[in-house]
Amino acid sequence: MFWAKDLECMPREQIQRLQLERLQNTVSRVYERVPFYRKRFDEIGLKPEHIRTLKDIEKIPFTVKDDLRANYPYGMFAVPINRIVRLHASSGTTGKPTVVGYTKKDLKIWSELVARMVVETGVSENDIAQISFGYGLFTGAFGLHYGLERLGATVVPISTGNTERQIMLMKDFGSTVLVSTPSYAMYMAEVAESLGIEPRKLNLRIGLFGSEGSTEEMLKELEKKWGILATENYGLSEIMGPGISGDCHMRCGMHIAEDHFIPEIIDPKTGETLPPGEEGELVLTTITKEGLPILRYRTRDITSLNYEPCPCGRTLVRMSKVQGRTDDMLIIKGVNVFPSQIESVLMSIDEVGPHYEIVIRREKYLDVLEINIEVSDARLLDKFSALEALENKIRQKLKTILQIDAKVNLVEPHTLKRFEGKAKRVIDMRNKNN
Ligand code: DLL
């Protein structure tokens, strides 16, 4: 199951040669065309010709989200706006969004890469793919849409929301592939059940989940509920959107399209490049983009790279699941905690469901971590002793993993908020005088 086997299985030296050539072209182009980069380079006396080896990429300063904001909306584009045929923007929670632009060639490459990524999971032109991402400035829906069409699959551009209708159409159209966030897929299964439809009995066979993190346990749960192969893919608007990396059917790390992006892992504190295999912040450089080429973009996503050959035959490096973002790491009572660690613990306990909420507040100058979590079976809540025993079990397990105490509140099924897009499970009230 390959889309472009010659590109996906290149020997490492060939990948590196291609990367260097494309990196040098990109660096020369941005130096000529983007005042932001020229200024950055000139400030440190760096010239495009100083990039002689791949390792020389480390001489280039990082680009961060604020650089894009400061040059809002089109200041970092490397082509005049009339050559841009599509704009997208990332949803900034505060202030202006970051705007990204694509030329015709960029869009062509984007759909090629998404087609490649979905074929890796086993999707083919015979599939019917329901795209339950929000259409709009978000890159997720359009990215998957054009990639799946490029492959020749049947695309159902249903977007998010109206979940009962999603289930009805999924059944009537015989959708075989679901494209969504993992949290929305979980919610959809619940809605199907409430309609008396067993998700496993529907035609779905592959889930293409992305745009937010998911633990291995969460994906396993989705596989069980829907009777599918739950695969994950990763991307970010600033670099391209979905299609940067994705699971193959072996599900042992997401292959990065290294012929278009150069990944590095850095220590988020010092900015130093870390050796292969070590966990740190992912930094990405685009090497074929025309509209908005970006050098050494700090994604803030924590992951690691595995250069071992994959059993699927691909040589493209694999990135591990994103452990969290440097900016969503919580510091609770001085201890570093990633929400994904909490999710792993919760998902390993049978009596509780995949719906939870993490609340952090400050009481008398002390941080308090509180976790609200739905039990899978409401009857549990009737038995006080069983409930107490379960709360204790969860608290113990959390303590072993996180090294801190958490207050655990078990709540009835279907009472916590559900998400149609990226889930927001952390409520940090410490800055709100609570
Ligand atoms: O979420 C692009 C995308 C759409 C990827 C659909 C995959 C599928 P943004 O809205 O710019 O773009 O958000 C990018 O989302 O830096 C990560 O923190 C997070 N993210 C995306 N995919 C994953 C994933 C799209 N598989 C930000 N695991 C990124 C964990 C992910 N986090």
Side-chain angles (χ1 to χ4, degrees):
M1 287 180 282
F2 291 95
W3 173 252
K5 193 166 183 192
D6 49 336
L7 299 172
E8 295 170 61
C9 304
M10 282 187 275
R12 181 93 337 235
E13 310 77 65
Q14 195 182 335
I15 300 179
Q16 288 176 336
R17 227 176 304 126
L18 184 69
Q19 284 185 326
L20 178 60
E21 183 194 315
R22 291 182 166 178
L23 173 68
Q24 288 171 327
N25 285 340
T26 300
V27 168
S28 303
R29 273 190 75 236
V30 300
Y31 186 74
E32 266 166 43
R33 294 168 176 235
V34 186
F36 165 84
Y37 282 113
R38 176 179 286 260
K39 184 160 170 272
R40 278 278 165 95
F41 275 48
D42 287 348
E43 272 164 11
I44 55 168
L46 186 65
K47 294 270 176 253
E49 52 273 23
H50 294 155
I51 308 300
R52 290 189 202 96
T53 66
L54 274 182
K55 182 118 184 90
D56 289 336
I57 197 171
E58 292 171 25
K59 296 179 178 160
I60 303 174
F62 296 117
T63 307
V64 295
K65 202 179 183 85
D66 277 344
D67 296 326
L68 284 153
R69 289 220 176 94
N71 290 283
Y72 176 84
Y74 307 143
M76 307 252 307
F77 288 9
V79 297
I81 187 68
N82 65 359
R83 285 208 46 219
I84 295 287
V85 291
R86 175 101 64 81
L87 293 174
H88 279 284
S90 85
S91 49
T93 38
T94 51
K96 302 271 192 202
T98 47
V99 180
V100 296
Y102 304 76
T103 62
K104 279 192 180 153
K105 186 173 164 210
D106 291 334
L107 287 186
K108 194 157 175 264
I109 291 178
W110 191 10
S111 31
E112 280 288 315
L113 291 187
V114 172
R116 187 202 278 190
M117 179 183 92
V118 303
V119 167
E120 275 184 67
T121 68
V123 172
S124 80
E125 78 251 37
N126 299 324
D127 277 298
I128 301 176
Q130 178 155 342
I131 302 193
S132 305
F133 274 142
Y135 278 74
L137 289 176
F138 173 57
T139 52
F142 281 97
L144 265 301
H145 181 111
Y146 285 103
L148 282 156
E149 273 190 7
R150 171 79 186 83
L151 167 64
T154 309
V155 170
V156 185
I158 192 163
S159 202
T160 50
N162 205 340
T163 310
E164 290 192 5
R165 189 160 167 269
Q166 297 255 1
I167 302 297
M168 182 185 86
L169 295 188
M170 182 183 282
K171 186 160 172 263
D172 296 348
F173 292 0
S175 307
T176 54
V177 170
L178 174 63
V179 176
S180 71
T181 56
S183 47
Y184 192 38
M186 197 59 92
Y187 178 39
M188 284 171 86
E190 201 176 70
V191 172
E193 280 159 2
S194 75
L195 295 172
I197 296 172
E198 205 191 311
R200 292 185 69 88
K201 297 243 167 87
L202 294 172
N203 269 358
L204 277 196
R205 58 180 207 98
I206 296 181
L208 298 173
F209 302 128
S211 179
E212 67 178 9
S214 56
T215 52
E216 198 47 50
E217 294 83 357
M218 180 73 96
L219 291 184
K220 285 265 151 63
E221 186 74 23
L222 284 168
E223 297 200 318
K224 212 164 73 193
K225 274 194 192 301
W226 286 103
I228 54 170
L229 173 72
T231 68
E232 181 177 3
N233 57 82
Y234 166 89
L236 65 162
S237 349
E238 292 84 346
I239 296 298
M240 190 178 78
I244 293 169
S245 71
D247 276 336
C248 61
H249 62 285
M250 308 296 301
R251 285 239 284 110
C252 53
M254 296 181 276
H255 290 281
I256 301 182
E258 281 184 282
D259 43 344
H260 298 270
F261 312 102
I262 300 181
E264 297 170 84
I265 298 290
I266 61 159
D267 177 333
K269 287 205 190 81
T270 62
E272 253 168 67
T273 308
L274 297 174
E278 284 200 23
E279 191 167 271
E281 180 179 344
L282 177 69
V283 168
L284 289 169
T285 297
T286 70
I287 48 174
T288 51
K289 276 193 60 201
E290 285 185 337
L292 180 60
I294 300 239
L295 301 181
R296 301 195 87 203
Y297 187 71
R298 289 189 63 157
T299 64
R300 295 180 182 261
D301 295 315
I302 307 286
T303 181
S304 59
L305 299 178
N306 179 355
Y307 286 89
E308 298 285 311
C310 179
C312 76
R314 286 177 184 79
T315 48
L316 300 174
V317 67
R318 285 170 282 162
M319 63 182 263
S320 73
K321 273 182 161 305
V322 172
Q323 297 303 311
R325 289 176 54 83
T326 51
D327 48 5
D328 74 12
M329 185 182 75
L330 300 162
I331 303 181
I332 304 173
K333 296 180 189 166
V335 178
N336 297 349
V337 175
F338 278 115
S340 61
Q341 293 175 296
I342 299 181
E343 181 175 305
S344 280
V345 171
L346 300 182
M347 295 294 298
S348 70
I349 297 169
D350 288 339
E351 298 91 326
V352 294
H355 304 285
Y356 64 94
E357 193 175 80
I358 301 168
V359 184
I360 310 126
R361 50 176 115 247
R362 186 154 290 158
E363 282 173 11
K364 297 194 189 113
Y365 307 106
L366 280 183
D367 294 339
V368 178
L369 170 63
E370 207 171 297
I371 298 168
N372 301 321
I373 171 156
E374 287 182 8
V375 289
S376 358
D377 184 344
R379 282 170 298 184
L380 241 170
L381 297 169
D382 299 334
K383 288 193 218 128
F384 184 74
S385 56
L387 193 65
E388 207 179 33
L390 179 56
E391 279 181 0
N392 278 334
K393 177 166 137 191
I394 299 174
R395 204 174 311 123
Q396 289 290 327
K397 275 205 164 186
L398 285 167
K399 175 123 196 197
T400 317
I401 304 285
L402 309 176
Q403 317 294 331
I404 49 173
D405 273 316
K407 186 163 182 285
V408 174
N409 303 318
L410 294 172
V411 301
E412 277 193 41
H414 312 291
T415 48
L416 297 177
K417 193 170 162 30
R418 300 292 190 262
F419 303 93
E420 293 174 350
K422 297 185 196 243
K424 287 190 194 69
R425 300 192 199 274
V426 179
I427 306 167
D428 194 339
M429 305 179 73
R430 285 176 294 186
N431 298 327
K432 295 184 189 151
N433 303 325
N434 281 315

